[in-house]
Amino acid sequence: MEDKKHGEEQLCTLEKRGNLFFLTLTGAGEHRLNPNLISSLRSALFRLQSDPSASSSSALITTAHGKFFSNGYDLDWAQSSEPRLQLMSSSLRSLVHDLICLPMPTIAAVTGHASAAGMMLALSHDYVVMRRDRGFLYMSEVDIGLVIPNWFMALMMSKIGDPRARREAVMRAAKLTAEDGVRIGVVDSAHDGAEATVAAAAELGEALVARKWDGHVYAGNRRVVLREVLEAVGYDETVTKVADKAGSKL
Amino acid sequence: MEDKKHGEEQLCTLEKRGNLFFLTLTGAGEHRLNPNLISSLRSALSRLQSDPSASSSSALITAAQGKFFSSGFDLDWAQSSEPRLQLMSSSLRSLVHDLICLPMPTIAAVTGHASAAGMMLALSHDYVVMRRDRGFLYMSEMDIGLVVTNWFMVLMRSKIGDPRARREAVMRAAKLTAEDGVRMGIVDSAHDGAEATVAAAVELGEALVARKWDGHVYGGNLRVVLREVLEAVGYDEAVEEVADKARSKL
């Protein structure tokens, strides 16, 4: 099950192995979240839900090739154009909405750097397992001169309960290793190497599948648990400001 | 001070011992939260507040006989009838409102299983002490195909600060022992056996009474602390959905 447009490189793959769906961001690049990649991911999630076996107990594992899980928004592509920034923002928010409404447990197997919007992509999963020996979770915005949108904080608050941990991540722009993530509560387990990380995700996935939950009940409960996040992804108040700010530097 | 209707079994008792009121769910059954039991509990709380000695410093300890604290809503009684589900929901929400507004500290002495709405009853108390050797706190909804209602989550968020603990309870439907509860911050202390648990509740109750707080000031502060819970218990969006879902199975 591949997602490829004519003449374009394949941006992600979706495979089924037993009860587990594997969504992989392919290629050695930074997996910048531009509308193309997001669209591919959303298509894959749509195909997943159309898969007849997805109505029985399943789980999704999202992972990525190379040194990056995702380095965040594709600001180069957006070039501070307000329409492009708005499209990128609304695409990502729709993807996050899709993940939160997905009728099965979701696990992010983070085997590379996850920065800014890329970290939000990881946090949009029910569980995060991460590689211990390489890679950071990094809210880079303070370092690169950006203000995070409210929905990023709503998502972070739904996953990170300790205000000091949130301060470390956002207000100190800390580069968090997997061990930091475990300490903070944003990472469920840390593993040596990419293969061990994906294997841990598979093991967790199987344990969740073994509970034989109804996927739609699962999603229904997740929607209640993450109600504020679902509300918050409905808007992004920062998009026009970024375009204005960049414009002022010209 | 017993609450008994003519020809019906006694569902709960209210006793005063020194400064402490003891509200006991009586009998060996599951103490399913149907309108009868809830009505008995609310009557008891109403009598408690009319007690002249309640104007001085007091505390309430809620406990239950047998293997169950409470197994949750009485779904057998409701039989998926929308009016019955709505009555049961609004009755429980009123009881929770009563407990939050009670002009004295409240302690749940959990000596048996507390599931779903039964766990919410326990969490509606200021403190929870629990038996270590038997009994689970268990949000069973995921396992029995139900979606938790929003006010349940608001109550849980007001008591459980760690999102991963809430995930464990709701999204993994974990059967939590008292020790798990202490670890997660849901349970204040764990004790060996029912008697020791109640004794611990008494000790805590006496310590709180010794502070000589004005009960109405106490209740007023609790209402501020639990403001979102008070707002949330005003409605239950899930009730009609359960009836719809059950009807669709016919």
Short mmCIF file of all heavy atoms in Angstrom, two decimals, chain B residues 128-130 132 137 176-191:
data_model
loop_
_atom_site.label_atom_id
_atom_site.label_comp_id
_atom_site.label_asym_id
_atom_site.label_seq_id
_atom_site.Cartn_x
_atom_site.Cartn_y
_atom_site.Cartn_z
N VAL B 128 -9.05 9.70 49.45
CA VAL B 128 -9.38 8.30 49.22
C VAL B 128 -8.34 7.45 49.93
O VAL B 128 -7.14 7.58 49.68
CB VAL B 128 -9.37 7.95 47.72
CG1 VAL B 128 -9.62 6.45 47.52
CG2 VAL B 128 -10.42 8.76 46.97
N VAL B 129 -8.80 6.61 50.88
CA VAL B 129 -7.91 5.60 51.45
C VAL B 129 -8.46 4.27 50.97
O VAL B 129 -9.67 4.11 50.76
CB VAL B 129 -7.84 5.69 52.99
CG1 VAL B 129 -7.27 7.05 53.42
CG2 VAL B 129 -9.20 5.46 53.64
N MET B 130 -7.56 3.32 50.75
CA MET B 130 -8.00 2.09 50.07
C MET B 130 -7.33 0.86 50.63
O MET B 130 -6.19 0.92 51.11
CB MET B 130 -7.70 2.22 48.58
CG MET B 130 -8.25 1.08 47.73
SD MET B 130 -8.10 1.48 45.97
CE MET B 130 -8.58 -0.11 45.26
N ARG B 132 -5.38 -2.45 50.47
CA ARG B 132 -4.26 -2.84 49.62
C ARG B 132 -4.40 -4.28 49.14
O ARG B 132 -3.96 -4.61 48.03
CB ARG B 132 -2.97 -2.66 50.43
CG ARG B 132 -1.81 -3.53 50.00
CD ARG B 132 -0.66 -3.46 51.00
NE ARG B 132 -0.08 -2.14 51.09
CZ ARG B 132 0.15 -1.50 52.25
NH1 ARG B 132 -0.19 -2.08 53.40
NH2 ARG B 132 0.70 -0.31 52.25
N LEU B 137 -9.55 -0.22 41.51
CA LEU B 137 -10.18 0.94 40.87
C LEU B 137 -10.09 0.64 39.38
O LEU B 137 -9.02 0.29 38.88
CB LEU B 137 -9.41 2.23 41.18
CG LEU B 137 -9.29 2.62 42.65
CD1 LEU B 137 -8.38 3.84 42.79
CD2 LEU B 137 -10.66 2.92 43.24
N LEU B 176 -6.56 -1.04 38.78
CA LEU B 176 -5.58 -0.40 39.66
C LEU B 176 -5.76 -0.88 41.10
O LEU B 176 -6.82 -0.75 41.68
CB LEU B 176 -5.76 1.12 39.61
CG LEU B 176 -5.70 1.74 38.20
CD1 LEU B 176 -6.22 3.17 38.24
CD2 LEU B 176 -4.28 1.69 37.65
N THR B 177 -4.67 -1.42 41.65
CA THR B 177 -4.69 -1.75 43.08
C THR B 177 -4.51 -0.45 43.86
O THR B 177 -4.22 0.60 43.29
CB THR B 177 -3.53 -2.68 43.43
OG1 THR B 177 -2.30 -1.98 43.16
CG2 THR B 177 -3.59 -3.97 42.62
N ALA B 178 -4.63 -0.57 45.19
CA ALA B 178 -4.41 0.60 46.04
C ALA B 178 -2.99 1.13 45.83
O ALA B 178 -2.77 2.35 45.80
CB ALA B 178 -4.65 0.24 47.50
N GLU B 179 -2.03 0.24 45.70
CA GLU B 179 -0.64 0.67 45.50
C GLU B 179 -0.49 1.42 44.18
O GLU B 179 0.20 2.44 44.09
CB GLU B 179 0.32 -0.53 45.52
CG GLU B 179 0.27 -1.36 46.78
CD GLU B 179 1.09 -0.77 47.93
OE1 GLU B 179 1.40 0.43 47.91
OE2 GLU B 179 1.39 -1.52 48.88
N ASP B 180 -1.16 0.92 43.13
CA ASP B 180 -1.17 1.66 41.86
C ASP B 180 -1.77 3.04 42.09
O ASP B 180 -1.27 4.05 41.58
CB ASP B 180 -2.02 0.93 40.81
CG ASP B 180 -1.44 -0.40 40.37
OD1 ASP B 180 -0.21 -0.51 40.29
OD2 ASP B 180 -2.23 -1.33 40.09
N GLY B 181 -2.86 3.06 42.84
CA GLY B 181 -3.55 4.32 43.10
C GLY B 181 -2.67 5.32 43.84
O GLY B 181 -2.68 6.51 43.53
N VAL B 182 -1.90 4.80 44.80
CA VAL B 182 -0.98 5.69 45.52
C VAL B 182 0.07 6.22 44.56
O VAL B 182 0.37 7.42 44.55
CB VAL B 182 -0.31 4.94 46.70
CG1 VAL B 182 0.83 5.76 47.29
CG2 VAL B 182 -1.36 4.62 47.77
N ARG B 183 0.62 5.34 43.75
CA ARG B 183 1.64 5.74 42.76
C ARG B 183 1.10 6.80 41.82
O ARG B 183 1.79 7.76 41.48
CB ARG B 183 2.07 4.50 41.96
CG ARG B 183 2.93 4.79 40.75
CD ARG B 183 3.40 3.50 40.07
NE ARG B 183 2.34 2.60 39.67
CZ ARG B 183 1.60 2.70 38.56
NH1 ARG B 183 1.80 3.69 37.73
NH2 ARG B 183 0.66 1.80 38.29
N MET B 184 -0.13 6.66 41.41
CA MET B 184 -0.70 7.58 40.44
C MET B 184 -1.30 8.82 41.06
O MET B 184 -1.73 9.73 40.36
CB MET B 184 -1.79 6.85 39.62
CG MET B 184 -1.19 5.76 38.75
SD MET B 184 -2.44 4.55 38.22
CE MET B 184 -3.45 5.56 37.15
N GLY B 185 -1.38 8.82 42.39
CA GLY B 185 -1.90 10.02 43.05
C GLY B 185 -3.40 10.02 43.23
O GLY B 185 -3.99 11.04 43.56
N ILE B 186 -4.04 8.88 42.99
CA ILE B 186 -5.50 8.80 43.13
C ILE B 186 -5.86 8.44 44.56
O ILE B 186 -6.90 8.84 45.06
CB ILE B 186 -6.07 7.70 42.20
CG1 ILE B 186 -5.65 7.92 40.76
CG2 ILE B 186 -7.57 7.62 42.31
CD1 ILE B 186 -6.01 6.76 39.85
N VAL B 187 -5.00 7.63 45.17
CA VAL B 187 -5.26 7.09 46.51
C VAL B 187 -4.26 7.70 47.47
O VAL B 187 -3.06 7.79 47.16
CB VAL B 187 -5.14 5.55 46.50
CG1 VAL B 187 -5.22 4.98 47.91
CG2 VAL B 187 -6.21 4.94 45.59
N ASP B 188 -4.74 8.12 48.63
CA ASP B 188 -3.84 8.78 49.58
C ASP B 188 -3.02 7.80 50.40
O ASP B 188 -1.88 8.09 50.76
CB ASP B 188 -4.65 9.72 50.46
CG ASP B 188 -5.22 10.86 49.63
OD1 ASP B 188 -4.39 11.68 49.15
OD2 ASP B 188 -6.43 10.91 49.41
N SER B 189 -3.60 6.66 50.75
CA SER B 189 -2.84 5.66 51.49
C SER B 189 -3.50 4.30 51.30
O SER B 189 -4.71 4.19 51.05
CB SER B 189 -2.77 6.01 52.98
OG SER B 189 -4.06 6.10 53.55
N ALA B 190 -2.66 3.24 51.42
CA ALA B 190 -3.10 1.86 51.23
C ALA B 190 -2.95 1.10 52.54
O ALA B 190 -1.97 1.32 53.27
CB ALA B 190 -2.27 1.20 50.13
N HIS B 191 -3.92 0.20 52.83
CA HIS B 191 -3.94 -0.45 54.14
C HIS B 191 -4.31 -1.92 54.01
O HIS B 191 -4.97 -2.32 53.04
CB HIS B 191 -4.95 0.27 55.05
CG HIS B 191 -4.67 1.73 55.11
ND1 HIS B 191 -3.76 2.27 56.01
CD2 HIS B 191 -5.12 2.76 54.35
CE1 HIS B 191 -3.69 3.57 55.78
NE2 HIS B 191 -4.49 3.89 54.79
#
